[in-house]
Amino acid sequence: MRRFPTGFYRAAAVASFLTALTTVALIFLPDFYGPADGLEGRMGRVQDPAYQLRAWIYLFHPLLVFAAALAVFLRFRDRPALVLPGIIGFGLWAVTEAAQQAMTLFMFDRWRRAWLAGDEAIRATMDVRAAIYDGLWDASYVFLLIGFLIGCAFYAAELLRHRRLTRVVGAFYAAAALLTLIFLVADLGGPSLPPSLGAWLYPAIQPLGRFLIGLWLWKNADEASPIAGSSQQRAVNE
């Protein structure tokens, strides 16, 4: 089996470290621009620097997460039963979320700028355009949640079978899967988390989990060595 160089996994580790930062930015940047008031406020948001910064981070964030997920998959590719459906799930999530944000940046934001510039055709149809955009965004959101749930659940099932840092990372994947399931159920009309609990649970799980994934990739960057905490390593040590 062809080996991937150490540098590949180290680069994926750096990508995962960056996603810890991008996750924090995605969570807290909305505090700097607050809710929009009516259609005019929603259109004007395109001129807000904090909003624009978050929008561009949102576009590249899933691609960085997928790079780290792909590296985890490759480290377990000799036992693909669980990680193969996992990476398919992460792929569905990453493509959908990036496409969703590209739609915002290159379709809806252009409409907003045209509305602000006084384009009469855009102004006359903006309510309909916004409704179409919102419908596509909501549908994409449900689909990306399903993909992310699949990815996290299958990765958790594999990594929790091992020990030490590998099991800890698996526990964070499991926590992310559970949180995603809660979000999905709520979006489908089921019960949701109390706002006070949801306000700190996601920031407590995702940034730290993504930092630990990066640390795990950095420590397991050499394919010539067994994965730390794996049954293969225990056999070698014994």
Side-chain angles (χ1 to χ4, degrees):
M1 184 182 297
R2 180 180 175 85
R3 289 180 179 175
F4 284 79
T6 300
F8 169 81
Y9 291 103
R10 293 279 164 86
V14 171
S16 195
F17 293 143
L18 288 175
T19 64
L21 298 177
T22 57
T23 300
V24 171
L26 292 175
I27 292 170
F28 294 109
L29 274 174
D31 293 340
F32 291 91
Y33 52 82
D37 295 325
L39 182 63
E40 185 173 353
R42 189 177 184 188
M43 296 300 101
R45 178 166 283 172
V46 74
Q47 298 176 326
D48 189 311
Y51 173 83
Q52 281 296 301
L53 176 60
R54 185 179 187 272
W56 282 100
I57 290 173
Y58 208 160
L59 177 64
F60 292 103
H61 168 78
L63 306 180
L64 293 171
V65 174
F66 181 75
L70 179 61
V72 174
F73 164 76
L74 291 172
R75 279 304 267 129
F76 285 101
R77 67 187 183 278
D78 59 336
R79 43 193 305 169
L82 293 173
V83 292
L84 179 57
I87 193 59
I88 292 172
F90 278 122
L92 292 175
W93 164 77
V95 170
T96 304
E97 183 160 293
Q100 180 191 51
Q101 198 57 23
M103 179 179 66
T104 299
L105 285 165
F106 301 107
M107 184 182 77
F108 194 62
D109 282 0
R110 287 178 178 175
W111 293 346
R112 291 201 267 207
R113 292 188 183 95
W115 191 95
L116 292 170
D119 187 307
E120 292 299 330
I122 295 291
R123 282 179 170 264
T125 58
M126 197 62 212
D127 287 339
V128 176
R129 291 169 185 260
I132 293 172
Y133 164 79
D134 290 341
L136 291 173
W137 202 97
D138 290 343
S140 300
Y141 180 70
V142 171
F143 188 69
L144 68 85
L145 284 180
I146 293 171
F148 196 69
L149 174 60
I150 292 170
C152 288
F154 277 98
Y155 271 35
E158 175 59 51
L159 273 67
L160 285 172
R161 300 168 64 184
H162 304 284
R163 299 189 304 167
R164 297 188 292 185
L165 180 60
T166 305
R167 180 173 291 178
V168 173
V169 172
F172 273 94
Y173 274 124
L178 178 59
L179 192 59
T180 303
L181 178 61
I182 292 171
F183 290 159
L184 180 60
V185 169
D187 203 65
L188 295 175
S192 60
L193 289 172
S196 58
L197 180 60
W200 68 263
L201 195 56
Y202 186 84
I205 292 174
Q206 289 288 46
L208 179 57
R210 284 169 178 160
F211 176 83
L212 290 175
I213 292 167
L215 182 62
W216 184 90
L217 286 169
W218 193 275
K219 290 174 66 69
N220 291 284
D222 184 2
E223 286 195 359
S225 301
I227 294 172
S230 68
S231 57
Q232 182 183 2
Q233 186 191 47
R234 292 199 296 272
V236 170
N237 292 340
E238 291 169 359

